[in-house]
């Protein structure tokens, strides 16, 4: 039986980074480190991320940018390895980068450079591709890892198999199965950062506008649970997408409403009254086009029965109805596009089962969970990679020390 010191399951962002950090910190003392993945190439999600330029971190990283059953769980790992730490590595590797909006950092050239940097960092570890992990069992003081190419015995196992999003890219639920096998509880995984789908009546509005994008505020929930994102909203053939919708999708649950403000910088009710007060023969849709793209202004006017209507002929009640439709559009999504297109998985291995400083399972010494498989999910904007790096680093530090 082949015997190794540490086996890392999954050569994605977290697994590659963890392997490199073990090697960097422990050097020769790291022993044999083997990284397994069933894919043909490592870091496939890194490769396609950020439109091929990898939004590799976010300078605004803070606890409130993450969704988790325990909002404080990520604090220690995030403090132990910061966006500045990752950026220092990017710069030391000579990778040119730029800040887009809101602290999001991207490669100037290609996400491939990040993968190459991670592979370079983990020299000394062994990467075995096209090796599907089937199960992990306890064995003496360590573990037996069953793979499609035969079993491996390991003193430590790091589970970095990611979530369930985009099965076509190699996502499986194996990490959750391993957690369950060892009696660790799960927060039910669900698709996050995913376009939402809508009922026919909403689709009737969205479809003809497909391709149109506006700045919007999308909100959900009330009181302390209220979330609001101000970002791009895209009309599509399937309903609504764009960053604002993706962000809110990580909080939305079936049966709940979302509210969309299509003109967040304008008080449409007041604005329409003012224009009406100036007299003239302006059509409602023409007046609305001061704040909305003309196609959208026409579609919304038509939806509330004011297609072709003159503004001067409308009473306050009609204007208020129209304004509410723009500033406070309540919709109830019927679902989401699901795992097929979700960028991340919300939920995962319950953080109560893990030590927040080391990512080690409290009840199973030697078993670690890092990255997306854990119930810590970032907002859109580079936070998920920062979590992959930080959690991988935390586990590596503990492994290198032990
Ligand atoms: P990741 O999914 O990266 O890796 C898991 C690995 O485990 C995979 O290589 C998989 O093949 C392997 N695996 C699974 N089951 C296995 C089995 N049974 N046997 C062997 N191997 C197995 N985030 C961000 O911060 N900035 C961004 O720009 C983007 N952009 C983006 C675009 C798109 C299209 C997607 C889908 C996602 C993003 N993300 C992102 C999210 C980000 O990609 C994600 O959060 C991280 O890749 C998670 O890293 P992990 O290493 O945890 O999982």
């Amino acid at each position: 039986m082949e015997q190794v010191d540490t086996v890392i399951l999954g050569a994605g962002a977290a697994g590659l980074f963890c392997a490199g950090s073990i090697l960097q910190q422990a050097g020769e003392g790291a022993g044999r480190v083997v990284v397994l993945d069933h894919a043909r190439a490592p870091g496939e999600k890194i490769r396609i991320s950020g439109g091929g330029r990898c939004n590799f971190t976010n300078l605004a990283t803070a606890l409130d940018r993450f969704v988790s059953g325990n909002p404080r769980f990520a604090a220690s790992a995030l403090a132990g390895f910061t966006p500045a730490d990752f950026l220092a590595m990017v710069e030391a590797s000579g990778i040119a980068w730029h800040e887009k909006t809101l602290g999001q950092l991207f490669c100037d050239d290609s996400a491939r450079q990040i993968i190459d940097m991670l592979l370079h960092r983990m020299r000394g570890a062994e990467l075995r591709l096209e090796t599907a992990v089937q199960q992990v069992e306890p064995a003496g003081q360590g573990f037996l890892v069953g793979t499609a190419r035969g079993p491996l015995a390991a003193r430590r196992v790091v589970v970095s198999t990611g979530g369930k999003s985009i099965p076509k890219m190699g996502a499986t639920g194996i990490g959750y199965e391993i957690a369950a096998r060892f009696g660790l509880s799960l927060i039910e995984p669900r698709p996050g950062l995913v376009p939402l789908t809508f009922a026919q009546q909403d689709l009737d509005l969205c479809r003809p506008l497909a391709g149109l994008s506006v700045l919007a505020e999308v909100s959900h929930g009330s009181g302390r649970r209220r979330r609001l994102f101000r970002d791009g909203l895209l009309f599509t053939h399937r309903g609504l997408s764009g960053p604002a919708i993706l962000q809110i999708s990580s909080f939305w649950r079936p049966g709940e409403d979302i509210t969309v403000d299509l003109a967040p910088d304008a008080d449409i009710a007041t604005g329409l009254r003012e224009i009406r007060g100036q007299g003239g023969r302006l059509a409602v849709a023409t007046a609305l086009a001061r704040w909305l793209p003309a196609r959208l202004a026409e579609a919304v006017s038509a939806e509330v029965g004011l297609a072709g209507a003159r503004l001067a002929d409308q009473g306050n009640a009609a204007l208020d109805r129209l304004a509410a439709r723009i500033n406070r559009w309540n919709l109830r999504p019927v679902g989401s596009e699901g795992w097929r297109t979700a960028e991340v998985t919300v939920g995962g291995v319950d953080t109560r089962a893990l030590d927040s400083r080391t990512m080690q399972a409290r009840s199973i010494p030697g078993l670690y969970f890092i990255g997306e498989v854990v119930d810590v999910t970032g907002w859109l904007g580079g936070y998920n990679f920062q979590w992959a790096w930080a959690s991988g680093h935390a586990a590596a530090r503990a492994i290198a020390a032990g």
Side-chain angles (χ1 to χ4, degrees):
M1 168 84 60
E2 187 180 2
Q3 179 81 42
V4 306
D5 294 286
T6 304
V7 61
I8 297 179
L9 312 182
L16 294 175
F17 193 77
C18 182
S21 298
I22 295 172
L23 267 293
Q24 298 294 315
Q25 293 179 50
E28 304 239 311
R32 278 190 73 194
V33 179
V34 175
V35 185
L36 305 177
D37 203 298
H38 64 166
R40 274 207 211 123
E44 279 294 89
K45 280 193 183 166
I46 302 175
R47 184 177 59 79
I48 61 154
S49 68
R53 293 222 162 85
C54 186
N55 177 193
F56 55 78
T57 192
N58 195 307
L59 298 176
T61 294
L63 267 189
D64 66 359
R65 302 297 154 104
F66 295 86
V67 187
S68 171
N70 174 2
R72 292 217 51 82
F73 177 79
S76 171
L78 292 173
F81 190 82
T82 65
D85 293 327
F86 193 79
L87 187 56
M89 285 182 189
V90 167
E91 294 202 317
S93 302
I95 299 172
W97 59 275
H98 62 278
E99 179 176 353
K100 221 169 165 187
T101 47
L102 308 167
Q104 301 175 16
L105 305 192
F106 287 78
C107 299
D108 283 359
D109 299 323
S110 164
R112 181 76 235 172
Q113 295 173 292
I114 298 290
I115 300 174
D116 291 343
M117 177 185 89
L118 298 177
L119 292 174
H120 184 76
R121 255 184 107 237
M122 60 174 263
R123 275 172 318 160
E126 203 183 315
L127 176 60
R128 291 189 198 164
L129 298 170
E130 298 183 273
T131 306
V133 175
Q134 293 162 330
Q135 82 266 346
V136 178
E137 297 291 334
Q141 299 287 32
F143 304 89
L144 197 63
V145 178
T147 84
R149 293 179 186 259
L152 263 126
R155 282 204 295 140
R156 302 180 207 93
V157 170
V158 180
V159 182
S160 51
T161 42
K164 286 177 130 179
S165 32
I166 320 208
K168 247 187 172 167
M169 297 212 61
T172 68
I174 184 83
Y176 309 130
E177 288 166 30
I178 295 169
R181 164 69 187 84
F182 285 90
L184 311 186
S185 55
L186 276 188
I187 305 296
E188 180 65 19
R190 60 180 210 277
L193 299 181
V194 63
L196 298 173
T197 53
F198 295 89
Q200 192 58 45
Q201 75 199 62
D202 297 318
L203 285 180
D204 289 344
L205 175 81
C206 295
R207 279 200 178 126
L209 297 169
L212 184 74
S213 158
V214 291
L215 174 74
E217 280 183 3
V218 180
S219 57
H220 166 265
S222 57
R224 288 184 58 211
R225 282 196 60 223
R226 180 170 145 87
R227 303 282 164 179
L228 183 148
F229 291 96
R230 181 187 171 94
D231 213 325
L233 175 135
L234 177 69
F235 291 88
T236 74
H237 287 288
R238 293 165 186 272
L240 294 174
S241 185
I245 291 290
L246 298 186
Q247 296 279 34
I248 215 74
S249 74
S250 295
F251 298 90
W252 174 82
R253 304 288 186 121
E256 296 177 343
D257 285 354
I258 61 170
T259 304
V260 176
D261 185 344
L262 291 167
D265 295 322
D267 175 348
I268 300 291
T270 308
L272 286 176
R273 279 175 171 75
E274 276 169 18
I275 300 175
R276 186 183 58 184
Q278 292 156 11
R281 305 176 53 82
L282 217 55
V284 169
T286 312
L288 270 187
R290 294 200 178 178
W291 303 287
L292 298 177
R295 277 166 72 200
L296 180 56
E298 273 171 31
V300 178
S301 308
E303 224 212 358
V304 297
L306 295 177
R310 277 192 346 168
L311 183 58
D313 297 337
Q314 308 311 315
N316 286 345
L319 295 194
D320 287 345
R321 216 172 44 244
L322 176 62
R325 184 64 185 65
I326 295 163
N327 285 140
R328 287 183 307 282
W329 179 20
N330 279 319
L331 296 110
R332 176 160 300 182
V334 293
S336 80
E337 288 187 8
W339 299 118
R340 192 178 58 81
T341 57
E343 276 195 23
V344 290
T345 301
V346 183
V349 177
D350 191 339
T351 56
R352 283 173 297 191
L354 306 177
D355 180 325
S356 64
R357 283 164 304 127
T358 62
M359 303 295 136
Q360 186 172 214
R362 290 182 190 280
S363 55
I364 319 282
L367 182 63
Y368 299 78
F369 290 84
I370 58 173
E372 199 175 311
V373 72
V374 179
D375 173 35
V376 173
T377 310
W379 290 7
L380 188 74
Y383 300 107
N384 285 296
F385 280 141
Q386 188 57 38
W387 169 245
W389 319 137
S391 57
H393 182 80
R397 203 169 43 193
I399 290 168

